[in-house]
Amino acid sequence: MPETTRLLWRDMTVFNGVQELTEPMAVITQGDRIDTLCPMRDFDTALIQDAHDAGRGKVMTPGLVDCHTHLVFGGNRANEFERRLEGASYAEIAKAGGGILSTVRATREASEAELLELALPRLQALIDDGATTVEIKSGYGLNVADELKMLRVARRLGERLPVRVVTTLLGAHALPPEYQDASKAYIDLVCDEMIPAAVAEGLADAIDVFCEKIAFSVAQCERVFQAAETHGLPIKAHAEQLSNLGGTAMAAHHGALSADHIEYLDEAGIEAMAEAGSVAVILPGAFHTLRETQLPPIAALRETGVPMAIATDANPGSSPLFQPTLMLNLACTLFRLTPREALAGMTANGAQALGAKEFGRLEVGALADLCVWDIQRPAELAYAVQPGRLRQRVFQGVMTHER
Ligand code: NIG
Ligand code: FE
C-alpha cells in the first residue's frame, strides 16, 4: 500500500466524536483527510474506484485524543505508592520533599536521550490503545534548562512515532528546592525567562500551572497567564484538585482552553467556565490512584453545558496509568459519565481542550485520524477494559496499525 492512499470502509458503525450515527456508514480517506462519510444507502459504487478496501462492519471512532499527560519523566514513584498504602497522603509526601519533587530530581539527572528512551514505550502504549494525539507537559525540570529539555524530548517523541504531540510548558508545577521561601522569585523566573526561552525555541504550544495550596496561589498563576498572553500562548490550569481556591474561575476569565481535575469546583467556577467556553478536563486516573472522595461536579457541568474531556494524566505519581480506554471505563464507573460522554471526552472535547478543530471528529475535511475496533457498539469501549481490540489505526491518512 502506498504511504497515504485512498482507504475505504463500508457498513461501519461510526461514533463521530459527538455521537453514534444511526445508520451504517461508508468512510473514505484521501491523503491526510476524510473525503467521504455517508450512509450506505447513499453510497455510490463509483467511489470504490482506486480505493483500497480497508474493511467493513466494525466500529469506527476518531483517533483518541489524550489531552493531558506528563509522559516525560525520570525515575518512578513505586516507593511512594507503597508509602501511601501504609497511610501517608499525596499532600503529606509532597510536603516532605517527595512527590513531584522526587521526579524532579530524577528528571534533572537524566539526559535528553535518556528521557526520550524512557518516554518512547509510554507513548507507544497510548498509541497501541488508540491515541493519535497526545498532549505532553513539562513540569519536572523547574529550571529553564531542564524544562526546555523536557519539551525538546516531547517534540522529538512526536517525530519518532506516528502521533501528534502537543506540548505544554508547566513551569509553575511545584516550587523547586532552590527557591524554598522564594516563590515570587520563582514565578519571576517562569514569566521572565522560562516562557520567553520556550517561545524562542518554538517548544510550547500552551502554558499550564498547578494552582493549589501545595503549589501556587491564584495570584501567582494569574501572573503566569499574563506572561503567556504577552507571548500569544493559550493557557490551561490544574485547578481545584485538592481544594477550592478559585483558580478555575481566574483561568476562565483569562480565556483558558481548559481547567483540569476540578473535583472541588464550585458553581461560580462552573459559570465562569461556561461563559469562557473552557473545557472541563476530568482525570479519573488521578482520582482513582489518590483514592479521592470529592467527585467533580459532573451533573452541574452537564446542565451548564460545559464540555467535558477525559485524559489519562499519565504521570509517575498521581496517575501511573497509560491506557486511554481504561479512562473511558473509569469516567463512567467513578464519575457516572455515559459512554457517549466518555467517548466524546476523548475525541471531540479532548481536541477542544487543546484548541484544535481539525481532529477529534469524523467529518468530511477533518484530518484522517481514526480507529477501527473489534466491537459491536461504541459503548463497549467504555464498558470493558480489554486491550487488543484495536483492529486498525490511521494517523493522518496513513494506516499505522492493522491486524
Ligand atoms: O496532574 N496535579 C498536579 N500534577 C500532576 C501530578 C504529577 C505528579 O504527581 O508527579 C497531576 O496529577
Ligand atoms: Fe496533570
Side-chain angles (χ1 to χ4, degrees):
M1 207 190 307
E3 272 260 291
T4 59
T5 182
R6 194 170 157 81
L7 304 174
L8 159 71
W9 291 262
R10 277 172 280 188
D11 287 314
M12 301 302 281
T13 300
V14 171
F15 180 87
N16 68 359
V18 177
Q19 62 192 359
E20 179 177 341
L21 303 180
T22 52
E23 288 184 69
M25 304 292 288
V27 182
I28 301 174
T29 65
Q30 175 73 55
D32 66 354
R33 302 278 157 173
I34 296 180
D35 180 65
T36 304
L37 179 71
C38 71
M40 280 307 292
R41 60 190 161 84
D42 298 336
F43 184 70
D44 177 351
T45 47
L47 289 169
I48 297 173
Q49 277 242 320
D50 301 328
H52 170 79
D53 188 352
R56 59 204 314 166
K58 295 284 175 188
V59 169
M60 181 182 285
T61 67
L64 302 183
V65 178
D66 192 351
C67 69
H68 180 144
T69 85
H70 309 248
L71 273 195
V72 174
F73 58 86
N76 73 60
R77 306 230 294 272
N79 57 337
E80 290 178 12
F81 179 68
E82 292 174 302
R83 275 170 65 196
R84 287 205 307 275
L85 286 167
E86 287 159 8
S89 75
Y90 182 72
E92 281 163 7
I93 291 172
K95 276 194 210 113
I100 292 171
L101 290 183
S102 93
T103 299
V104 170
R105 287 188 287 275
T107 304
R108 285 179 175 178
E109 275 167 24
S111 69
E112 208 174 296
E114 284 163 346
L115 288 174
L116 180 67
E117 287 311 309
L118 289 169
L120 277 167
R122 299 177 195 136
L123 182 57
Q124 188 66 53
L126 303 184
I127 289 172
D128 291 344
D129 200 41
T132 50
T133 301
V134 175
E135 183 259 17
I136 301 179
K137 301 177 195 296
S138 65
Y140 295 125
L142 307 186
N143 59 42
V144 176
D146 289 307
E147 286 291 305
L148 296 197
K149 175 177 77 177
M150 290 186 70
L151 292 173
R152 274 186 224 111
V153 172
R155 285 274 190 251
R156 282 174 66 189
L157 284 164
E159 291 155 15
R160 283 283 289 274
L161 295 175
V163 65
R164 181 176 307 100
V165 170
V166 177
T167 60
T168 303
L169 173 66
L170 176 55
H173 192 197
L175 191 63
E178 58 279 15
Y179 280 85
Q180 196 93 57
D181 304 318
S183 62
K184 181 184 176 300
Y186 182 67
I187 292 295
D188 288 343
L189 178 79
V190 172
C191 296
D192 302 339
E193 294 182 41
M194 219 177 257
I195 293 177
V199 168
E201 264 193 65
L203 288 173
D205 298 323
I207 302 293
D208 198 347
V209 297
F210 187 16
C211 188
E212 193 54 69
K213 285 180 197 148
I214 58 169
F216 297 99
S217 70
V218 174
Q220 289 173 324
C221 293
E222 186 160 31
R223 282 196 52 216
V224 176
F225 290 160
Q226 283 158 348
E229 275 158 22
T230 310
H231 291 278
L233 284 172
I235 56 159
K236 35 182 58 230
H238 286 69
E240 268 69 64
Q241 179 187 10
L242 307 170
S243 60
N244 179 15
L245 294 189
T248 299
M250 181 279 291
H253 291 140
H254 283 271
L257 287 175
S258 70
D260 303 33
H261 290 287
I262 60 166
E263 279 86 343
Y264 286 82
L265 187 63
D266 60 15
E267 255 176 48
I270 295 173
E271 285 300 328
M273 291 188 81
E275 243 167 68
S278 303
V279 176
V281 177
I282 58 171
L283 301 168
F287 180 90
H288 159 78
T289 302
L290 301 181
R291 299 180 74 229
E292 295 294 340
T293 51
Q294 173 80 27
L295 287 162
I298 300 299
L301 290 166
R302 188 185 278 137
E303 275 156 32
T304 319
V306 175
M308 290 183 274
I310 295 168
T312 59
D313 195 15
N315 76 68
S318 66
S319 189
L321 307 171
F322 301 82
Q323 192 180 345
T325 58
L326 170 62
M327 299 303 138
L328 300 176
N329 176 272
L330 291 180
C332 296
T333 51
L334 297 175
F335 296 161
R336 314 313 289 166
L337 263 68
T338 64
R340 186 203 69 75
E341 288 173 325
L343 264 173
M346 275 217 150
T347 53
N349 292 349
Q352 193 180 333
L354 298 176
K357 290 200 176 73
E358 283 209 297
F359 54 85
R361 284 172 194 262
L362 295 179
E363 61 192 16
V364 172
L367 283 167
D369 290 359
L370 58 90
C371 293
V372 176
W373 306 90
D374 272 326
I375 53 177
Q376 303 299 311
R377 294 181 45 217
E380 287 175 44
L381 269 187
Y383 150 75
V385 180
Q386 188 179 344
R389 295 175 297 180
L390 183 64
R391 170 175 283 251
Q392 292 167 322
R393 175 186 180 276
V394 174
F395 175 62
Q396 293 188 162
V398 179
M399 185 85 74
T400 64
H401 167 106
E402 187 160 31
R403 62 154 191 81

